[in-house]
Structure formats: C-alpha cells, structure tokens
C-alpha cells in the first residue's frame, strides 16, 4: 500500500504567502512623491527576506526530492507486489480452470460413452420390436390355419386359447417395448442436450485458458502492450462463486442425466430378457397344447379307424346274413307252393269225398305255418336291411369324421407345428442377411401349407444350398422350447 503524505510545498505555502505580502507592503509603503530611494535598513531587510525565501525554496525542493524518491520506491515496490499478486491470482485461476476443465472433460467422456451405449440399447430395442413380429406372424398364421378345420372339429380347445394368449402376450410386450423406445429417445435428447452444454462449457474453459495463459505470460518488456484507458471501470462478468456454481451445476446435471440413462438401459435390458422369457413361455405352452391336442386327435382318429373297420366287417357280415335270409325265404317258396297246390287239388274232390279230413287240416296248418315263417323271415329281412342302412350311414359319418380328424391333424401337425419347431426370436441384433434368410424360411413354411412336409424340407435345403456360396455372418442361435 502507498502511504499517504503531505508534500512540503503545501506545508510551507502559508510562509511563502506571508513573506510575499510583507514585501509588497514594503514596496507600496513609501511616498510616491519622493525619489526612488530606500533606507539602508529597508535594504537590509529586503535582502534578509530574499535569503529567507531562497532558503525556504531550497528546503521545500529538497523535501520534495526526498519524498519523491521515497514515493518512487514505494510505488515500485507496490507495483511489483501487485503484479506478483496478479500473476499468482492468474496461476490460481489457471489451476482452477484446468481442474474444472478436467472434470468437465471426464464427465463429457462419460456422457458420450453412455450416449453410445444408449444408442446401442435403442438399436437393440428396435431390433427386438422387429423380432416380435416373427413369432406374432407364426402364431397368427396358426390361428388362421386352424380356421380351416371342418365343422366337427372347430372347437375352442386349449390350443386356440393358448394361441390367443400368446398373441396377447406378444402385443403387450410390443406395447411395452414401444413405450421404452419413447423413453430411450427422450433420454437420448436429454443426453445430447447435456453433452452440448458440457461442450460449450469446455469451449469457454479453453478460450479462458488461452486468454489467461496469454495474460500470465505478459510482462513489462512484452511487445505490443499498450494503454487501455478506463478498462478497469468495466463491470462485465460474474463473480467467482457464480462461475464455480455454473460449472458444478453442469457436472451435477450430467451426472444425474447419466444416472437416469443408466437406469433406463438397465430397465430396457431387464425388460428384454423378461419379454423373451415370457414370450418363450407362452410359445412353449402353445406347443404343449398342440402336442396334447395332436395326441387327442390321433387317439380319436385311431378309435374312429377301428370303429370304421369293425363297421365294415359288420356290414359284410350283415350283407351275408341278409343274403342267407333271402335264400331262406326263397327256399320256402317251393314248400308253400306244394302245400297250396295240394290243397287246391283237394278242392276238386267229389261232393261225398270233400270232407275236412286230417290231410285237409294238416295242409291248412302247413300253409299257415309256412306263411308265419315267411312273415317272420321278411320281418327279419326288413330289420337286417334297416340295420345295413344304418351301418352304411354310420360308415359315411365315420368316413367324414376320419377326414375331419385327418384334416385337423394335417393342420396342427404339418401346417402349425412344422413352423413352431424353433422359437423365431433373437435376443440380440442380427445381420440383414440372417434376417432375410430367416424371413425366407418362414415365408416358405408359411406359404406351402398345402404341400407335404418332405417337399417343404427339400425346397428349404435347395434354397440354403444356393445361398451357401455367399459369405454368411454367423447368426444368433434360436432358443429351443
């Protein structure tokens, strides 16, 4: 600090003024009418006054020189101390700015890394949404294929219930994945905003570091330094506390944003695993229902086939029995003709001989017995023909039921289970070639429902053999049920 002082010429101002006043009074004190002569005493007094004035002037000048030397020394020391303190403050500011820049750079690197991971999570989530369309398409195809069952087998069985639950499960998971995708996109926007804020703060820190480095390297002998009048009166800029709070707020905001992004990523990964397990469980449940239903249909088909065979055998036996009855009826025609002919001939006996004797009675009884037997045989023949007609109707129904069961078995076993052998869902992103190949396989299985399983297998092998020449990227494994 420069010590305040009172210059000597100010302290001796009153003395100089007093001496000057007395001199003027002495000059004006004589009589203007006399000659310009002064008394010796006056002359001596004037000389004495001049001596005194010269002595005072020399004293003042010496004091001024002494005080100026002291002032220059104090100003030099104060200037050196102030410049040294400014250099120290600049070094301190450079250290603080470097520390904040390092922290901001580390946080920026963390945010950039987190953003890249979140982008990968978004790609995985979009791929998972696309992947859910594959089991949904297979399940929907199965439901549509089962609509082709005939009327006798169009029941709301456990397979249909399981397939509907599977469709609902997949659509629910798709909805949740789309909700997570909205959250991920929103969080990506927040991450990018935070990243831009950190980059702007880092740019400002770099510019401030360059300026402060330049300021710290400037010294008294530096070229191109000049005066800037009034620059110290500018009030631009905020305080150090505000500056630190702003950088600290940016760092804390970045940490909160990064923590939220990490939580969303963890939630997405957990949901993807949970969704895959849930859809796989629904898929396996439907396959188990298919297996049980196919077993039931196969058992019913076998029983119907057995009944159909027994029915055919019974129809054959009954047809032979009807033929025997007809033969028996035909065989009774001759005896009844004989009896009726005898009875008719005995009607021509003379009057005295036309008696109701035992032969006449027995012939009458024989004809009655034969007619009764024929009536019974005809009744049995009618019953047998009715039973044969019923057997033929049963045969027709059994054949229709067999065709119905066979159609149901073809739909469930060849059209549905053939495309449900593997769960068509990848837990990770797959390449385009693998996706095209899988879609091609699925379309082939889905469009060739009317053909045999062996023909479809041959076509798939031919297509894969043609594409085997091209380099293929290893695709993700299927999850077995």
């Amino acid at each position: 600090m420069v010590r305040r002082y009172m210059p000597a010429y100010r302290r001796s101002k009153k003395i100089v003024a007093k001496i000057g006043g007395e001199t003027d009074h002495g000059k004006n004190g004589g009589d203007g009418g006399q000659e310009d002569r002064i008394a010796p005493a006056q002359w001596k007094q004037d000389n004495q006054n001049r001596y005194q004035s010269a002595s005072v002037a020399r004293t003042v000048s010496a004091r001024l020189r002494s005080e100026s030397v002291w002032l220059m020394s104090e100003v030099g020391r104060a200037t050196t101390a102030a410049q040294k303190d400014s250099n120290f403050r600049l070094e301190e500011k450079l250290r603080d700015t470097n520390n904040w820049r390092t922290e901001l750079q580390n946080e920026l690197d963390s945010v950039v890394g987190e953003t890249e991971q979140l982008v990968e999570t978004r790609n995985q989530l979009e791929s998972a949404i696309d992947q859910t369309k594959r089991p949904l398409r297979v399940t929907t195809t199965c439901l549509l294929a089962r609509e082709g069952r005939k009327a006798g087998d169009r029941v709301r069985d456990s397979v249909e219930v399981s397939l509907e639950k599977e469709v609902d499960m997949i659509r629910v998971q798709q909805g949740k994945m789309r909700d997570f995708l909205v959250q991920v996109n929103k969080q990506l926007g927040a991450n990018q905003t935070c990243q831009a804020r950190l980059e702007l703060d880092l740019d400002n820190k770099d510019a401030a570091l360059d300026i402060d480095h330049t300021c710290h390297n400037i010294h008294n002998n530096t070229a191109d330094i000049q005066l800037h009048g009034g620059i110290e009166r500018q009030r631009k800029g905020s305080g150090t506390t505000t500056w630190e709070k702003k950088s600290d707020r940016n760092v804390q905001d970045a940490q909160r944003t990064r923590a939220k992004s990490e939580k969303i990523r963890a939630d997405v990964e957990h949901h993807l695993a949970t969704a895959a397990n849930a859809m796989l469980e629904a898929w396996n449940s439907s396959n188990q229902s298919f297996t049980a239903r196919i077993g039931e249909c196969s058992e019913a088909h076998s029983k119907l086939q057995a009944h159909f065979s027994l029915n055919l055998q019974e129809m054959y036996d009954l047809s032979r029995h009807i033929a025997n009855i007809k033969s028996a009826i035909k065989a009774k025609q001759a005896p009844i003709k004989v009896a009726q002919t005898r009875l008719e001939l005995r009607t021509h006996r003379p009057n005295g001989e036309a008696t109701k004797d035992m032969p006449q009675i027995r012939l009458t009884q024989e004809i009655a017995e034969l007619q009764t037997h024929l009536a019974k045989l005809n009744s049995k023949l009618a019953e047998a023909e009715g039973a044969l007609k019923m057997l033929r109707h049963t045969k027709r129904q059994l054949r229709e039921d067999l065709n119905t069961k066979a159609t149901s078995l073809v739909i469930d076993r060849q059209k549905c289970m053939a495309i449900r052998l593997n769960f068509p869902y990848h837990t990770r992103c797959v390449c385009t070639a693998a996706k095209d190949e899988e879609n091609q396989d699925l379309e082939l299985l889905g469009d060739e429902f009317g053909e045999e399983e062996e023909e479809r297998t041959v076509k798939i092998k031919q297509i894969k053999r043609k594409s085997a020449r091209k380099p293929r990227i290893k695709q993700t494994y299927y999850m077995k049920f």
Side-chain angles (χ1 to χ4, degrees):
M1 297 297 291
V2 178
R3 189 169 54 191
R4 293 183 177 274
Y5 62 93
M6 177 69 74
Y9 70 91
R10 290 184 181 178
R11 293 196 295 268
S12 60
K13 189 174 182 181
K14 294 182 180 181
I15 300 174
V16 176
K18 184 177 180 182
I19 295 173
E22 292 176 355
T23 303
D24 294 338
H25 184 270
K27 289 182 180 180
N28 296 326
D31 190 0
Q34 297 179 358
E35 295 181 358
D36 189 13
R37 298 287 187 270
I38 59 174
Q42 184 65 36
W43 178 80
K44 291 180 179 180
Q45 185 64 38
D46 289 341
N47 288 333
Q48 190 67 31
N49 289 336
R50 288 188 181 92
Y51 299 154
Q52 257 185 340
S53 176
S55 178
V56 169
R58 287 194 307 273
T59 302
V60 170
S61 177
R63 186 172 296 171
L64 282 174
R65 285 188 296 105
S66 176
E67 290 178 354
S68 297
V69 170
W70 177 83
L71 179 61
M72 286 186 293
S73 177
E74 287 295 323
V75 168
R77 284 194 298 270
T79 302
T80 303
Q83 195 173 80
K84 184 177 181 181
D85 186 64
S86 296
N87 288 335
F88 175 76
R89 298 299 180 185
L90 284 172
E91 292 176 358
E92 187 178 14
K93 179 66 174 180
L94 286 171
R95 286 194 299 270
D96 292 343
T97 306
N98 270 321
N99 292 334
W100 278 113
R101 189 193 181 284
T102 302
E103 190 169 355
L104 287 171
Q105 185 64 49
N106 293 335
E107 196 60 38
L108 177 61
D109 294 340
S110 299
V111 170
V112 171
E114 178 61 30
T115 302
E116 292 176 354
Q117 292 181 358
L118 191 61
V119 170
E120 183 180 356
T121 301
R122 182 183 65 180
N123 295 336
Q124 184 179 352
L125 190 59
E126 290 175 349
S127 175
I129 293 175
D130 292 335
Q131 287 293 315
T132 55
K133 296 178 182 178
R134 301 182 63 217
L136 179 62
R137 183 168 55 247
V138 171
T139 306
T140 306
T141 302
C142 292
L143 284 172
L144 293 176
R146 285 176 62 83
E147 291 296 323
R149 293 176 298 171
K150 295 183 179 180
D153 273 3
R154 295 187 67 176
V155 295
R156 183 174 173 81
D157 51 6
S158 59
V159 176
E160 186 172 351
V161 174
S162 298
L163 290 175
E164 290 176 353
K165 288 182 179 179
E166 185 178 347
V167 170
D168 294 338
M169 171 65 69
I170 295 174
R171 287 176 177 168
V172 168
Q173 298 302 329
Q174 283 180 341
K176 291 182 179 180
M177 289 181 185
R178 291 190 181 97
D179 293 339
F180 272 112
L181 184 60
V182 172
Q183 295 181 17
V184 168
N185 289 330
K186 185 178 179 181
Q187 185 61 38
L188 277 175
N191 287 7
Q192 292 171 357
T193 301
C194 180
Q195 179 179 344
R197 199 160 48 237
L198 290 174
E199 290 175 349
L200 178 61
D201 201 352
L202 275 174
D203 292 339
N204 294 336
K205 292 289 185 296
D206 290 336
L209 281 173
D210 291 338
I211 294 173
D212 288 342
H213 271 298
T214 303
C215 293
H216 185 264
N217 294 329
I218 292 175
H219 51 83
N220 295 333
N221 297 324
T222 302
D224 298 332
I225 58 174
Q226 55 186 349
L227 295 175
H228 298 277
I231 191 66
E232 69 278 0
R233 290 193 296 271
Q234 293 185 2
R235 300 296 182 184
K236 184 179 179 181
S238 58
T240 305
T241 305
T242 305
W243 172 77
E244 291 180 350
K245 285 183 178 179
K246 182 179 178 181
S247 297
D248 185 61
R249 183 172 61 251
N250 290 337
V251 171
Q252 290 181 358
D253 290 344
Q255 290 175 351
R256 284 194 294 268
T257 302
R258 189 156 46 87
K260 187 176 180 181
S261 178
E262 291 174 354
K263 183 178 182 302
I264 289 178
R265 280 196 304 109
D267 292 342
V268 169
E269 292 177 359
H270 178 265
H271 176 70
L272 289 179
T274 304
N277 292 332
M279 290 187 292
L280 179 61
E281 184 178 354
W283 179 275
N284 292 336
S285 177
S286 298
N287 286 349
Q288 291 175 1
S289 299
F290 264 114
T291 303
R293 183 61 180 172
I294 289 172
E296 292 176 357
C297 286
S298 298
E299 184 180 359
H301 186 273
S302 300
K303 290 182 178 180
L304 287 173
Q305 187 67 43
H307 284 286
F308 184 75
S309 299
L310 293 175
N311 190 75
L312 289 178
Q313 183 64 39
E314 184 63 27
M315 286 178 61
Y316 175 75
D317 294 339
L318 186 59
S319 297
R320 292 185 61 183
H321 184 67
I322 290 173
N324 293 331
I325 292 174
K326 288 181 179 179
S327 298
I329 292 174
K330 186 177 181 181
K332 295 298 182 292
Q333 295 297 324
I336 196 171
K337 287 180 181 179
V338 171
Q340 288 181 350
T341 301
R342 286 175 178 177
L343 191 61
E344 194 274 334
L345 289 174
R346 287 177 65 86
T347 58
H348 297 290
R349 289 178 299 170
N351 293 331
E353 295 296 327
T355 59
K356 194 175 181 179
D357 52 2
M358 290 301 298
Q360 185 73 18
I361 295 172
R362 187 69 188 100
L363 287 173
T364 303
Q365 290 177 351
E366 182 182 359
I367 292 173
E369 290 175 359
L370 288 173
Q371 289 178 347
T372 301
H373 292 160
L374 285 175
K376 290 181 179 180
L377 288 174
N378 286 325
S379 175
K380 290 297 180 183
L381 179 61
E383 292 178 1
E385 288 178 347
L388 182 61
K389 184 177 180 181
M390 184 177 66
L391 287 173
R392 287 173 179 171
H393 180 70
T394 302
K395 174 188 173 183
R396 186 169 54 253
Q397 287 183 340
L398 289 174
R399 183 181 288 112
E400 291 177 357
D401 288 343
L402 284 172
N403 292 332
T404 300
K405 296 296 184 295
T407 302
S408 299
L409 286 173
V410 168
I411 291 174
D412 289 344
R413 184 180 293 165
Q414 298 180 7
K415 294 184 179 181
C416 294
M417 286 303 293
I419 60 176
R420 294 182 64 89
L421 296 178
N422 296 319
F423 183 47
Y425 181 82
H426 294 280
T427 56
R428 294 290 177 183
C429 297
V430 295
C431 61
T432 306
K435 281 186 177 180
D436 294 340
E437 184 180 1
E438 291 161 4
N439 291 333
Q440 192 176 17
D441 293 345
L442 187 60
E443 288 176 1
L444 185 60
L445 289 173
D447 294 336
E448 300 294 335
F449 282 145
E451 299 182 3
E452 295 294 333
E453 181 67 22
E454 295 180 357
E455 296 178 1
R456 288 200 298 271
T457 305
V458 170
K459 287 186 178 181
I460 293 173
K461 289 182 179 179
Q462 290 176 355
I463 293 173
K464 289 185 176 180
R465 193 179 299 113
K466 290 181 181 178
S467 61
R469 300 169 187 157
K470 301 179 182 179
R472 295 176 55 191
I473 301 176
K474 185 178 180 181
Q475 71 181 50
T476 309
Y477 62 90
Y478 282 102
M479 288 189 290
K480 302 288 185 180
F481 65 88

